[in-house]
Amino acid sequence: MATLNVKNVPDALYEALKSRAESRHRSVAQEVTHILSEVLAPQRLSILELEGLGKELWSGVDAGRYVDGERASWD
């Protein structure tokens, strides 16, 4: 595993990072690694996480009737 040294970090930024790390029960190095991985290598989402998205758009719509209407428009 590689080692990364960061120099000239402004004090205020370091304190914010340290505070964030403490609130998440991590070391500063662990928090930096976590932040970098979130930004540079985001986790792939599962299609299962899409369940329920947009359901408000279909509120009050009869799905069967909608599909039948779409199919009828193909002819």
Side-chain angles (χ1 to χ4, degrees), residues 3-4 10 18 21 44 56 59 62 66:
T3 300
L4 174 67
K18 184 178 173 184
R44 292 184 147 210
E56 66 279 356
S59 178
D62 181 305
Y66 178 82

Side-chain angles (χ1 to χ4, degrees), residues 4 8-9 11-12 16 20 22 29-30 32 36-37 43-44 46 53 61-62 64 73-74:
L4 174 67
N8 301 319
V9 176
D11 291 338
R20 178 180 163 129
E22 288 173 358
Q30 288 171 325
V32 168
L36 289 173
S37 67
Q43 298 295 316
R44 292 184 147 210
S46 166
L53 291 178
V61 176
D62 181 305
S73 72
W74 297 346

Side-chain angles (χ1 to χ4, degrees), residues 55-75:
K55 66 182 176 184
E56 66 279 356
L57 298 173
W58 295 96
S59 178
V61 176
D62 181 305
R65 183 173 288 154
Y66 178 82
V67 170
D68 288 344
E70 287 298 305
R71 287 180 177 153
S73 72
W74 297 346
D75 296 326

Side-chain angles (χ1 to χ4, degrees), residues 4 6 13-40:
L4 174 67
V6 181
L13 181 59
Y14 179 79
E15 289 303 319
L17 179 61
K18 184 178 173 184
S19 175
R20 178 180 163 129
E22 288 173 358
S23 72
R24 290 167 171 78
H25 307 288
R26 296 182 181 132
S27 68
V28 171
Q30 288 171 325
E31 188 63 20
V32 168
T33 301
H34 179 77
I35 291 169
L36 289 173
S37 67
E38 290 270 313
V39 172
L40 299 176

